[in-house]
Amino acid sequence: SSNKTLVSPGGVFEFGFFKIASSSRWYLGIWYKNIPKRSYVWVANRDNPLCSSTGTFKITGTNLVLLDQSKNTVWSTNLTRRCVKSPVVAELFDNGNFVMRYSDNNDPSGYLWQSFDFPTDTLLPEMKLGFDLKTGSHRFLRSWKSPDDPASGDYTYKLETRGRPECFLRSKDFLLYRTGPWNGFRFSGVPEMPQLLVNIFTENKEEITYTFRMTNHSTYSKLIVTPSGFFQLLTWTPKVQLWIVLWSVPKDQCDLYMLCGPYGYCDAKTSMCNCIKGFKPKASQAWASGDMSQGCVRRTRLTCGGDGFIRLTKMKLPDTMYATVDKLVGIKECKMRCLNNCKCTAFANADIQNGGSGCVMWT
């Protein structure tokens, strides 16, 4: 029932049944315990609510199961049945993770199930976006349908790994925004991320994931995809009893995907599209009328001999989905490879740490 909840050991998070506003729909989820206005960070049955406050949540074998008043299954962890080695317990941690495990195994690698593997619209510190290469799962965020409806909304935020890893914000199948590829320190198109947030990116044989932590561990902070299509960093400010937006994208029209088209770039100071030096608008009349989506074309065709490069700084790297990536060569070798490939139009370091390493070539 709504008055029976689980509370994390330090009293940070609470787990239980809830409903929103005057709705008759009931959900099972997690929220911050000490914030007056409920702030939900995870919802189990977001697309299949209970019709009343009468529900049963229990452990059955090695599964967590939510039943309605007619004892029909509304939600389940749906794990393949296995032999129960020892008593199974479920617990809520102070980082907001709700886990099911064997009572004699505290090792995270031995968890039977955890809510962090099934995010809704919120990424908490220590929670990971991206790929678990051992299980094949892809963790991503999906917005609420509206501020008062936790059902799956139109907006998703995903880490994708074709080319160099980067994150994409979409409305259904329409691409709205991308972070730029990971460059070893941060995503290349997000230089303004607040310094009190520490990016943590992991790429190995077991996972390709992004998470974060805050330098001030005593503050409540979260990344969220809003029902209106923004990806935001929020932090709770006790003095004013409000969630403050520290960072939000898209922040202006320059953040919009493919606004200026191929070989075009958006000047963040003026929010105007320009062609890279040596290029001109492909459709000059449309460009003059404000439609720059067709981008730019070369003023002079390449000769594939005697061509050179122009250094572009403070740029979000282009989408690397169809680029060639080699992590084992340096920038000099990268330049030579690009010069010797008549289809190569640009190159960059894959990683800017320690003077730069790796090679990305766009053809």
Side-chain angles (χ1 to χ4, degrees):
S1 65
S2 58
N3 60 357
K4 291 182 179 178
T5 62
L6 294 175
V7 178
S8 65
V12 180
F13 288 99
E14 191 167 14
F15 174 93
F17 292 102
F18 69 91
K19 71 171 185 173
I20 298 172
S22 59
S23 168
S24 61
R25 299 186 296 268
W26 285 81
Y27 301 91
L28 184 70
I30 300 170
W31 56 88
Y32 290 95
K33 179 170 176 56
N34 296 318
I35 292 178
K37 185 179 180 181
R38 286 270 183 95
S39 181
Y40 302 99
V41 299
W42 184 78
V43 184
N45 58 322
R46 66 186 306 184
D47 293 312
N48 195 16
L50 294 167
C51 297
S52 72
S53 60
T54 304
T56 303
F57 181 64
K58 64 179 183 177
I59 297 173
T60 302
T62 55
N63 273 301
L64 298 171
V65 180
L66 174 61
L67 305 174
D68 64 15
Q69 59 185 352
S70 302
K71 304 304 179 185
N72 296 315
T73 300
V74 171
W75 175 87
S76 169
T77 51
N78 202 29
L79 299 178
T80 304
R81 289 193 176 275
R82 66 180 87 184
C83 178
V84 180
K85 300 175 184 177
S86 66
V88 175
V89 298
E91 60 184 323
L92 178 64
F93 294 145
D94 279 329
N95 61 1
N97 195 13
F98 184 64
V99 309
M100 178 175 60
R101 62 177 179 83
Y102 290 121
S103 60
D104 60 356
N105 189 352
N106 287 315
D107 187 344
S109 65
Y111 291 160
L112 298 171
W113 179 92
Q114 59 180 335
S115 62
F116 271 17
D117 284 341
F118 301 90
T120 47
D121 67 328
T122 301
L123 189 74
L124 298 171
E126 301 179 30
M127 193 174 181
K128 295 179 178 181
L129 281 185
F131 295 87
D132 183 329
L133 302 179
K134 295 178 294 182
T135 64
S137 65
H138 183 195
R139 310 179 196 97
F140 64 92
L141 304 181
R142 183 180 291 277
S143 69
W144 284 26
K145 193 171 184 178
S146 75
D148 295 325
D149 186 352
S152 296
D154 291 338
Y155 298 96
T156 59
Y157 188 80
K158 297 182 179 182
L159 175 68
E160 298 185 10
T161 56
R162 290 169 291 183
R164 290 295 293 152
E166 67 176 306
C167 295
F168 293 86
L169 178 66
R170 286 183 170 87
S171 174
K172 297 182 180 177
D173 293 328
F174 184 72
L175 224 168
L176 297 174
Y177 165 84
R178 66 185 186 89
T179 59
W182 179 258
N183 64 16
F185 285 117
R186 54 175 171 79
F187 293 105
S188 66
V190 195
E192 73 282 0
M193 185 67 85
Q195 291 186 347
L196 48 79
L197 179 145
V198 179
N199 292 302
I200 303 168
F201 185 80
T202 304
E203 186 174 10
N204 56 38
K205 293 180 180 179
E206 295 188 344
E207 61 180 300
I208 304 173
T209 57
Y210 167 81
T211 186
F212 73 102
R213 64 177 175 83
M214 305 301 289
T215 54
N216 184 351
H217 297 287
S218 64
T219 60
Y220 296 159
S221 299
K222 59 182 180 177
L223 288 164
I224 184 171
V225 181
T226 72
S228 53
F230 291 92
F231 185 60
Q232 298 179 332
L233 172 64
L234 306 179
T235 190
W236 177 252
T237 308
K239 286 185 179 179
V240 293
Q241 295 285 287
L242 289 172
W243 285 101
I244 302 298
V245 179
L246 295 183
W247 172 78
S248 180
V249 290
K251 66 180 185 298
D252 55 34
Q253 73 170 13
C254 278
D255 267 346
L256 299 179
Y257 184 73
M258 285 289 289
L259 175 74
C260 302
Y263 303 109
Y265 69 94
C266 190
D267 187 330
K269 292 181 180 179
T270 63
S271 293
M272 295 293 292
C273 288
N274 299 280
C275 290
I276 294 171
K277 186 177 180 180
F279 290 76
K280 62 181 181 180
K282 182 177 182 179
S284 55
Q285 193 169 355
W287 186 280
S289 65
D291 178 8
M292 290 90 166
S293 60
Q294 294 184 60
C296 308
V297 292
R298 292 186 184 277
R299 294 182 180 275
T300 306
R301 294 184 64 180
L302 295 179
T303 62
C304 200
D307 298 314
F309 297 100
I310 295 174
R311 183 180 177 87
L312 301 174
T313 61
K314 298 182 179 179
M315 292 281 188
K316 178 192 291 188
L317 288 183
D319 194 330
T320 61
M321 189 178 299
Y322 302 110
T324 302
V325 180
D326 187 336
K327 299 178 185 178
L328 302 178
V329 302
I331 199 70
K332 290 183 179 179
E333 172 67 17
C334 192
K335 178 179 180 179
M336 292 308 300
R337 287 186 184 185
C338 196
L339 277 173
N340 293 328
N341 182 344
C342 294
K343 293 182 179 180
C344 185
T345 58
F347 69 95
N349 273 138
D351 192 316
I352 64 172
Q353 295 182 98
N354 304 317
S357 63
C359 174
V360 183
M361 296 195 310
W362 289 268
T363 54

